[in-house]
C-alpha cells in the first residue's frame, strides 16, 4: 500500500512545485509590467527618471517572459524555419529600442547618434563584459571542483561555424567606418548573411532542450495547455515591448538631460544593459553550474546576431522613417563603430584555436573597462590601435586555424544548441 502511495505523493508534490513556480514568476513579472501599462494606457507623463525606471523594468520583465516562452516552444517546434522564427522573436527586446532610434532618425537627424550609440554599446557590452565574465566564473567553478589547473574554456568544434560567420561579418562591417555611413545595400548584405547563418544552424544536429525553472514548468504542462500558454506569452511580451520601446527610448534621452549625464553614453550603455540583462544572468548562472562552454557558445551566437541582424536592420528602419538609403554617421559615431569593429576582430582572433584562455578574457575585460575614462578622439583611436595590435598578434599565432574558420560557414553543419539563441532562463 505504501509503495503505491509514494508515486501519487511524488506526482502531487511535483505538480504543486510547478504551480508555485509559474505563479511566482507570473506575479513578479506582472508587478513590474503593470505600472508601465497603466502609465502608457492613461497617457500619464511622470518625471523622465521615474518613467525610465518604470518602462525599463517592464522591458526587462517582458524579456524574461519572451525567453521562457521561446525555451518551452522548442518542445513543439523544430527545423530551420522554427530556428529563424525563435531567433527573431528572442532578439526583439534587444533591438526594439535601437530600431526606434533608427526609425526616428529618418525624420530627426538628432536621433542618428542614438541609433549608433545603442548598436555599438550592445555589441561591446556583450563581448567586453559578457564573454569574459562567463570564462572567469567557469574557471573559479572548475578550481573549486578540484581542477586547479583550469585556465580557460574549451570550445566545441562546431563553434568554429559561429566564429567564421562573426569573422566574415566583422570584416564586412569595417565598410561602415571607412565610408562614414551604414548603407542600405550593406544592411541587406548583413541581413542575407544572418539568414544564411540561420540556415546553417537550423540544419545542424539538434540537441534536446535543457529546461530549468519557469521554462521547465511550462514544458511540463499538458500539450494543449502548454501551446496556448506559450503563444499567449509570445503575444503578451511582444505587446509590452512594443508598448514600452518608444517611451523607454524617449525618457532615456530626457533623463540624461535632467541628470546632467551625457545622453549618448546613457543610450549606449543603459539601454543595452537593460535589454540584455536576462541573457547575462542566464549565461553567468550556467557558468556557475559548470556549463561554461554552453554559455559562451550562446553568447558567441548572440554576437553573430547583433553584428548582422541589428546592424543590417538600422538603415532599413531609417529609410522607413523617412530618411535616405544611408544612415550618415558623424566623426564620433565613426570612432565608436571602429572601436566596436576592432574589438570584434580581437575577440574572434583570440578564439581561433577554440580555447578561451583566462588571459584573453582578462584582456577583453580590461580594455572594456578602460574605455570609460576616454573622452577624446585621440584616446579612442589609440584604443582601436591596441585592439588591432592584439588581433594581429593572435592572428599570427593562430594562423593555422584561420583557413578552417573562414571555410567553416560554407562546409558541414552546425550544432544547434538548446535554447538557440538563448539558454534556459531561470526564475527572476
Amino acid at each position: 500500500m505504501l509503495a503505491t502511495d509514494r508515486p501519487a505523493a511524488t506526482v502531487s508534490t511535483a505538480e504543486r512545485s510547478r504551480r508555485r513556480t509559474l505563479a511566482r514568476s507570473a506575479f513578479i513579472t506582472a508587478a513590474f509590467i503593470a505600472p508601465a501599462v497603466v502609465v502608457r494606457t492613461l497617457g500619464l507623463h511622470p518625471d523622465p527618471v521615474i518613467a525610465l525606471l518604470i518602462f525599463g523594468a517592464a522591458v526587462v520583465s517582458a524579456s524574461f517572459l519572451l525567453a521562457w516562452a521561446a525555451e518551452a516552444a522548442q518542445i513543439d517546434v523544430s527545423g530551420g524555419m522554427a530556428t529563424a522564427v525563435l531567433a527573431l522573436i528572442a532578439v526583439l527586446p534587444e533591438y526594439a529600442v535601437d530600431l526606434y532610434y533608427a526609425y526616428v532618425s529618418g525624420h530627426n537627424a538628432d536621433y542618428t547618434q542614438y541609433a549608433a550609440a545603442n548598436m555599438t554599446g550592445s555589441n561591446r557590452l556583450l563581448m567586453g563584459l559578457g564573454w569574459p565574465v562567463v570564462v572567469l566564473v567557469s574557471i573559479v567553478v572548475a578550481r573549486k571542483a578540484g581542477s586547479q589547473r583550469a585556465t580557460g574554456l574549451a570550445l566545441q568544434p562546431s563553434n568554429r561555424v559561429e566564429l567564421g560567420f562573426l569573422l566574415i561579418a566583422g570584416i564586412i562591417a569595417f565598410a561602415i567606418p571607412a565610408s562614414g555611413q551604414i548603407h542600405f545595400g550593406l544592411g541587406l548584405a548583413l541581413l542575407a548573411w544572418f539568414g544564411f547563418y540561420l540556415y546553417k544552424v537550423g540544419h545542424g544536429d539538434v540537441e534536446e532542450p535543457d529546461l530549468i525553472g519557469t521554462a521547465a514548468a511550462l514544458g511540463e504542462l499538458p500539450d494543449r495547455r502548454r501551446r496556448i500558454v506559450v503563444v499567449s506569452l509570445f503575444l503578451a511580451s511582444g505587446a509590452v515591448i512594443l508598448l514600452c520601446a518608444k517611451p523607454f527610448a524617449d525618457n532615456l534621452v530626457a533623463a540624461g538631460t535632467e541628470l546632467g549625464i551625457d545622453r549618448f553614453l546613457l543610450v549606449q550603455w543603459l539601454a543595452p544593459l537593460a535589454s540584455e540583462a536576462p541573457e547575462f544572468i542566464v549565461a553567468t548562472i550556467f557558468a556557475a553550474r559548470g556549463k561554461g562552454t554552453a554559455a559562451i557558445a550562446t553568447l558567441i551566437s548572440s554576437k553573430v546576431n547583433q553584428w548582422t541582424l541589428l546592424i543590417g536592420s538600422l538603415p532599413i528602419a531609417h529609410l522607413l522613417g523617412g530618411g535616405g538609403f544611408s544612415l550618415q554617421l558623424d566623426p564620433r559615431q565613426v570612432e565608436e563603430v571602429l572601436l566596436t569593429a576592432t574589438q570584434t576582430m580581437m575577440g574572434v582572433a583570440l578564439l581561433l584555436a577554440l580555447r578561451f584562455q583566462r588571459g584573453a578574457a582578462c584582456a577583453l575585460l580590461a580594455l572594456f573597462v578602460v574605455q570609460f575614462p576616454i573622452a577624446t578622439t585621440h584616446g579612442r583611436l589609440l584604443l582601436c590601435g591596441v585592439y588591432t595590435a592584439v588581433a594581429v598578434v593572435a592572428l599570427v599565432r593562430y594562423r593555422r586555424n584561420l583557413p578552417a574558420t573562414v571555410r567553416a560557414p560554407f562546409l558541414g553543419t552546425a550544432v544547434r544548441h538548446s535554447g538557440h539563441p538563448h539558454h534556459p532562463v531561470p526564475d527572476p
Side-chain angles (χ1 to χ4, degrees), residues 129-264:
L129 182 63
W131 287 22
V133 167
V134 165
V135 174
L136 297 177
V137 170
S138 298
I139 293 173
V140 172
V141 170
R143 291 189 172 183
K144 285 184 177 180
S147 180
Q148 297 300 323
R149 296 184 177 181
T151 59
L153 283 177
L155 278 65
Q156 298 295 326
S158 59
N159 297 138
R160 195 173 295 281
V161 175
E162 277 96 347
L163 289 176
F165 273 99
L166 185 55
L167 174 62
I168 294 174
I171 294 173
I172 294 173
F174 273 99
I176 298 173
S179 62
Q181 62 181 354
I182 307 177
H183 195 273
F184 182 81
L186 177 63
L188 292 181
L190 289 173
L191 289 178
W193 190 236
F194 174 72
F196 183 50
Y197 168 68
L198 289 182
Y199 169 81
K200 295 293 291 187
V201 298
H203 285 73
D205 299 326
V206 182
E207 296 180 352
E208 290 298 321
D210 179 18
L211 305 181
I212 59 175
T214 303
L218 289 172
E220 293 169 359
L221 291 172
D223 290 349
R224 179 179 174 81
R225 192 187 310 171
R226 181 183 63 249
R227 291 163 187 161
I228 292 174
V229 172
V230 166
V231 172
S232 299
L233 287 177
F234 277 141
L235 295 176
S237 56
V240 170
I241 291 167
L242 293 177
L243 187 72
C244 297
K246 180 181 184 301
F248 176 67
D250 288 338
N251 282 289
L252 190 61
V253 175
T257 301
E258 181 172 315
L259 296 173
I261 300 174
D262 188 322
R263 290 173 295 179
F264 185 94

Side-chain angles (χ1 to χ4, degrees), residues 379-404:
R380 284 188 285 269
L381 293 180
L382 181 60
L383 187 55
C384 288
V386 174
Y387 276 127
T388 302
V390 176
V392 170
V393 171
L395 286 171
V396 172
R397 181 178 180 181
Y398 303 125
R399 59 187 179 278
R400 293 182 179 178
N401 303 108
L402 185 58

Side-chain angles (χ1 to χ4, degrees), residues 1-7:
M1 187 68 176
L2 291 175
T4 56
D5 286 343
R6 285 176 181 171

Side-chain angles (χ1 to χ4, degrees), residues 34-111:
V37 174
V38 171
V39 170
R40 191 82 162 98
T41 303
L42 297 181
L44 304 177
H45 299 283
D47 178 82
V49 177
I50 300 299
L52 176 62
L53 294 175
I54 291 174
F55 291 112
V59 169
V60 173
S61 298
S63 299
F64 274 102
L65 292 179
L66 201 58
W68 288 329
E71 291 300 325
Q74 294 176 94
I75 297 174
D76 298 303
V77 295
S78 60
M81 182 56 69
T83 302
V85 172
L86 291 179
L88 291 174
I89 290 174
V91 298
L92 178 60
E94 298 178 24
Y95 300 169
V97 172
D98 205 6
L99 292 181
Y100 169 72
Y101 285 136
Y103 177 83
V104 175
S105 73
H107 51 270
N108 184 347
D110 291 340
Y111 273 70

Side-chain angles (χ1 to χ4, degrees), residues 289-375:
R289 293 181 177 181
K291 298 181 180 180
T293 298
I296 197 64
T298 300
L299 294 186
I300 293 172
S301 177
S302 296
K303 175 66 176 180
V304 176
N305 291 347
Q306 288 187 351
W307 207 230
T308 54
L309 177 61
L310 177 57
I311 298 178
S313 301
L314 294 182
I316 296 176
H318 177 74
L319 181 64
L320 293 176
F325 280 90
S326 63
L327 193 66
Q328 298 292 332
L329 306 179
D330 64 26
R332 168 68 184 279
Q333 296 156 22
V334 170
E335 294 164 13
E336 295 288 346
V337 174
L338 181 61
L339 196 56
T340 309
T342 52
Q343 183 206 47
T344 301
M345 287 296 99
M346 173 181 162
V348 173
L350 290 172
L351 300 188
L352 287 177
L354 298 182
R355 288 283 302 174
F356 205 149
Q357 300 288 357
R358 179 180 56 192
C362 290
L364 279 171
L365 182 60
L367 291 176
F368 174 77
V369 172
V370 79
Q371 71 182 310
F372 291 102
I374 298 176

Side-chain angles (χ1 to χ4, degrees), residues 8 126 157 270:
L126 180 61
L270 184 58

